[in-house]
Amino acid sequence: MTRTTLRTHRCGALRAADVGQRVRLGGWVHRRRDLGGIVFLDLRDRDGLVQVAVGPGWASPDLVFRAQTVGTEAVVVVEGEVVARPPAMRNSELATGDVEVHATAFQVVGPAETPAIPVARGKGDELPAEELRLKHRHLDLRRPELQANLIMRHRLAQRARRVLSELDFLEIETPILTKPTPEGARDYLVPSRVHPGEFYALPQSPQIYKQLLMVAGFDRYFQLSRCFRDEDLRYDRQPEFTQIDIEASFVTQDDVLAIVEAVLVALWDEAGHRIERPFTRLSWRDAMERYGTDKPDLRYDFEIKDFSRWAKTDGKIVGEAVRQKLEGKDARLRGIVVPGGAAFSRKDIDRLSQEVKQVGGWGPAWVKRQGEQVSGSIAKDADVETLGALGVRDGDLALLTVGADQVTSPALDKVRREVIRRLAPAPKAAHALCWVVDFPLFEPDPETGKPVFAHHPFTSPHPDDMDKLDSDPFACRALHYDAVYNGNELGSGSIRITDPAIQRTVFRHLGLSPAEVDARFGFLLTALAAGAPPHGGFAIGFDRTAMLLVGAGSMRDVIAFPKTTAARALFEGAPAPARPEDLAALHIKVVPPHE
RNA sequence: GGGGCUGUAGCUCAGCUGGUUAGAGUGCCGGUCUGUCACACCGGAGGUCGCGGGUUCGAGCCCCGUCAGCCCCGCCA
């Protein structure tokens, strides 16, 4: 199916079975080896490389000359015969290495200037600086690694579409020009020309639209939806990204989890990995207690333990300073026992301290047990027997911190991750997928302490906690769930509120007046009142999933044209100042920043 | 918004305690070469040391500012 008027095969597709065929190939000159009388060209396309030999036995002197002078990265069309290479000249590192093409016609159809960054790389050569790779993206994208990434991304997208279609989901598009939603991330705004002073927003997600589709009776919807959030970026966060967005009606949480599991199993299978269903389930509270994070990496142990009891009753293990801290409200002494951790150097432990301090934690206090010897920052308060009772064996290290869970959990999460990084133990499994469920509905605002929504305001409270909505909001759980893979959040979802009265109550908790609610979300409330089926859904972060499945170091390596961490597009130079006449037509006046 | 790292030839990098004419590999250009596959060998060209200012007899190197890229914190309902 790759045959066209101008070519018969892809370069990288030729095999021993093609020997004897006359072929016409189109591709890029990857490398040239000019031996004087004979010239070898590696010709590249998206399928791979094939060696083209241009020698006097079959090619005219003029043809040889053209092969000698063609530049790397030029596009050429070559005609010739596929020939088996003599056994000694086969190249086992090349998929096409058993054959070569003896060129009898040779045309440079796309001459190329010397490339600004190299496409072909020798073994051990470093990549060009990422700034240059992004600036010359058309060249960087020629690299076989990036081509493989984008090819895999395509396969994952198609597989997701196939699985969901087979499960009777309908792919439906939702608007890109939508309404600003003042909660959550910052919106990208688009000025309206015909309505001076009014703006569309690009969607942060199609959340409300997919709920409207449920109300409309479409029952099962999905979309590979583009989403936009104007927030600061990371290696795994781009301002525009793609979600596998899913919503279904007449479902419970278990139904949604089963659907998402089916999709994820298929995606991992597409990438050549077998994963087991059902995934482990973990309550949010358990995850925070045992791993200090809502996205635990379950490939490893090193669970967090509560040592408060020991500090309080026994008086050993820790000194007076810690005991005083334990008097504080909600304070606990928690820590991690690291089997074999006694081998950690002072430098290793300093590094752990830095991690803890970065998140505002205390310590950690540490103690090593080596034979009868006990050493460390709290060695004078601990002895071999007590440590033994705590599960600290010979050769182990215990790391402890004290404080409220909001501080100790992230601190111990950092410690645990750093310990795993440092020890690099063999993982229990290569692919640890799990569900984190029963998230809290509210979390305290870091400044005011008042309840704010932990997720989006359409998430249904847990039916068992409905009565706590007013009396004890922080104890109220949500029907919200995250999918976590090896310590990475793949996506999240929830069962939605379908009762307009509950939805209004929830908005009231957000501090929105009825008037504001009507202005912002009136159309949703109207829809819910028009006969809404119970529904819920999920969104899988597609770029991040692709990144993890191809083993890329950054999301930029699975996106054809990504932005920099400053949200710039270096290739085309976006964003850019608008022309004054364009601004005038949009009724916009630019106010330069002060200072 | 805050912090860290990086910026020297087209590309990847070295450049000592501040010292005289800034180097290497690769790519590029020219030459030799009929079995290479990172071809080999010979020769050559190629520099706004990110940008601006300062200190100094003298700055690639020290100081201040600034720009860009990357990483982290905040942020990402």
Side-chain angles (χ1 to χ4, degrees):
Chain A
M1 284 305 288
T2 59
R3 186 189 187 104
T4 65
T5 311
L6 297 179
R7 71 157 181 221
T8 59
H9 294 73
R10 285 229 187 88
C11 307
L14 295 178
R15 295 294 181 270
D18 299 305
V19 166
Q21 285 210 57
R22 287 205 61 79
V23 295
R24 200 185 302 140
L25 305 174
W28 284 257
V29 176
H30 191 68
R31 246 194 276 270
R32 188 182 55 208
R33 291 175 293 280
D34 179 358
L35 273 62
I38 188 169
V39 183
F40 297 100
L41 297 172
D42 289 337
L43 204 60
R44 185 194 69 235
D45 60 24
R46 76 180 220 201
D47 272 356
L49 296 177
V50 71
Q51 173 164 280
V52 173
V54 186
W58 53 90
S60 69
D62 174 59
L63 202 163
V64 173
F65 175 77
R66 273 180 283 142
Q68 283 173 323
T69 50
V70 67
T72 53
E73 294 307 317
V75 181
V76 297
V77 170
V78 169
E79 225 174 296
E81 185 184 352
V82 180
V83 176
R85 295 201 201 180
M89 283 136 204
R90 289 183 188 151
N91 185 344
S92 60
E93 287 177 27
L94 225 50
T96 60
D98 289 342
V99 300
E100 65 188 9
V101 174
H102 285 194
T104 50
F106 183 94
Q107 200 186 352
V108 179
V109 295
E113 293 174 358
T114 302
I117 56 171
V119 176
R121 273 192 308 153
K123 297 176 183 106
D125 283 0
E126 295 292 326
L127 281 176
E130 186 149 15
E131 184 176 358
L132 294 168
R133 291 176 46 207
L134 293 172
K135 197 167 169 182
H136 308 286
R137 194 64 169 169
H138 61 300
L139 294 172
D140 200 37
L141 284 170
R142 289 181 181 179
R143 284 171 41 229
E145 296 94 324
L146 285 192
Q147 298 225 333
N149 288 356
L150 292 181
I151 289 166
M152 177 54 76
R153 183 180 169 124
H154 160 82
R155 287 174 47 188
L156 294 171
Q158 294 312 308
R159 185 70 180 266
R161 286 197 160 96
R162 200 174 93 209
V163 176
L164 285 162
S165 299
E166 281 167 0
L167 289 171
D168 215 20
F169 282 77
L170 301 171
E171 183 169 11
I172 302 176
E173 288 157 290
T174 55
I176 293 295
L177 295 175
T178 106
K179 190 179 180 183
T181 50
E183 297 302 324
R186 280 180 280 263
D187 285 315
Y188 279 99
L189 292 178
V190 180
S192 163
R193 174 182 55 81
V194 290
H195 302 288
E198 295 186 30
F199 295 83
Y200 303 94
L202 305 182
Q204 295 180 25
S205 82
Q207 182 59 36
I208 292 177
Y209 292 108
K210 65 177 176 176
Q211 291 193 236
L212 296 177
L213 289 171
M214 293 304 105
V215 171
F218 285 100
D219 199 64
R220 292 187 158 210
Y221 140 95
F222 82 97
Q223 179 180 197
L224 271 72
S225 70
R226 309 301 308 278
C227 306
F228 307 85
R229 294 180 191 172
D230 186 5
E231 293 294 343
D232 288 343
L233 308 176
R234 293 284 189 280
Y235 77 98
D236 62 347
R237 275 164 35 184
Q238 283 276 308
E240 49 184 321
F241 57 98
T242 304
Q243 286 184 346
I244 304 174
D245 196 44
I246 299 170
E247 195 78 7
S249 291
F250 305 107
V251 292
T252 64
Q253 173 169 304
D254 284 349
D255 295 313
V256 178
L257 300 194
I259 290 160
V260 176
E261 279 185 9
V263 175
L264 292 177
V265 166
L267 295 184
W268 261 246
D269 176 68
E270 192 67 35
H273 308 306
R274 210 185 129 75
I275 52 175
E276 297 293 329
R277 287 179 67 183
F279 302 167
T280 308
R281 283 195 205 180
L282 207 58
S283 74
W284 177 84
R285 187 169 292 281
D286 266 5
M288 297 305 287
E289 181 65 25
R290 290 159 61 189
Y291 305 100
T293 174
D294 59 7
K295 42 179 180 174
D297 189 344
L298 296 187
R299 287 175 298 174
Y300 307 100
D301 291 320
F302 305 109
E303 289 190 19
I304 297 167
K305 297 270 186 332
D306 185 348
F307 296 101
S308 308
R309 188 163 72 86
W310 292 87
K312 281 173 181 160
T313 60
D314 190 282
K316 290 184 177 167
I317 303 300
V318 289
E320 198 52 39
V322 169
R323 255 193 303 283
Q324 275 179 16
K325 280 190 185 293
L326 270 176
E327 303 296 319
K329 190 169 176 285
D330 299 331
R332 290 199 289 160
L333 177 67
R334 300 165 76 203
I336 295 175
V337 176
V338 184
F344 274 38
S345 68
R346 201 47 206 266
K347 210 172 160 185
D348 293 329
I349 290 166
D350 283 348
R351 200 190 162 93
L352 292 169
S353 298
Q354 275 177 12
E355 297 283 340
V356 168
K357 296 209 165 60
Q358 205 171 35
V359 291
W362 173 87
W366 58 281
V367 58
K368 284 180 188 174
R369 181 174 162 194
Q370 289 164 297
E372 287 307 301
Q373 236 190 335
V374 174
S375 59
S377 69
I378 52 168
K380 63 177 163 39
D381 297 299
D383 56 51
V384 168
E385 291 75 43
T386 325
L387 290 178
L390 289 178
V392 184
R393 293 163 206 258
D394 190 14
D396 293 355
L397 164 74
L399 296 151
L400 306 171
T401 185
V402 65
D405 291 357
Q406 295 97 293
V407 180
T408 56
S409 288
L412 290 168
D413 169 42
K414 288 268 194 183
V415 167
R416 180 171 176 268
R417 286 203 305 230
E418 182 58 27
V419 163
I420 289 166
R421 200 194 63 81
R422 171 73 181 72
L423 285 177
K428 292 193 289 183
H431 306 279
L433 284 124
C434 71
W435 293 110
V436 178
V437 301
D438 293 339
F439 275 76
L441 187 59
F442 300 96
E443 58 190 21
D445 184 299
E447 275 151 38
T448 64
K450 284 183 180 169
V452 293
F453 271 82
H455 318 289
H456 58 60
F458 319 116
T459 300
S460 174
H462 197 291
D464 298 346
D465 298 343
M466 210 61 93
D467 53 324
K468 298 179 192 154
L469 246 185
D470 284 304
S471 56
D472 190 3
F474 288 126
C476 192
R477 288 167 300 167
L479 289 178
H480 175 101
Y481 31 84
D482 277 8
V484 175
Y485 169 63
N486 292 356
N488 301 281
E489 183 189 324
L490 291 181
S492 65
S494 65
I495 299 298
R496 326 297 183 188
I497 297 169
T498 44
D499 179 341
I502 296 177
Q503 187 66 72
R504 283 187 192 279
T505 308
V506 159
F507 281 136
R508 187 167 38 105
H509 277 277
L510 250 177
L512 294 176
S513 71
E516 281 177 297
V517 169
D518 285 335
R520 291 179 189 179
F521 304 110
F523 63 111
L524 176 68
L525 289 166
T526 304
L528 291 181
H535 62 277
F538 202 82
I540 299 168
F542 184 60
D543 313 85
R544 186 174 298 169
T545 301
M547 173 185 88
L548 293 167
L549 284 177
V550 305
S554 129
M555 229 178 202
R556 294 181 293 273
D557 284 351
V558 293
I559 296 173
F561 302 103
K563 302 286 190 284
T564 69
T565 52
R568 281 190 179 281
L570 296 184
F571 187 86
E572 65 272 38
R579 297 182 308 167
E581 56 267 42
D582 291 337
L583 289 175
L586 294 168
H587 325 286
I588 284 180
K589 193 170 157 188
V590 174
V591 183
H594 301 296
E595 286 141 310

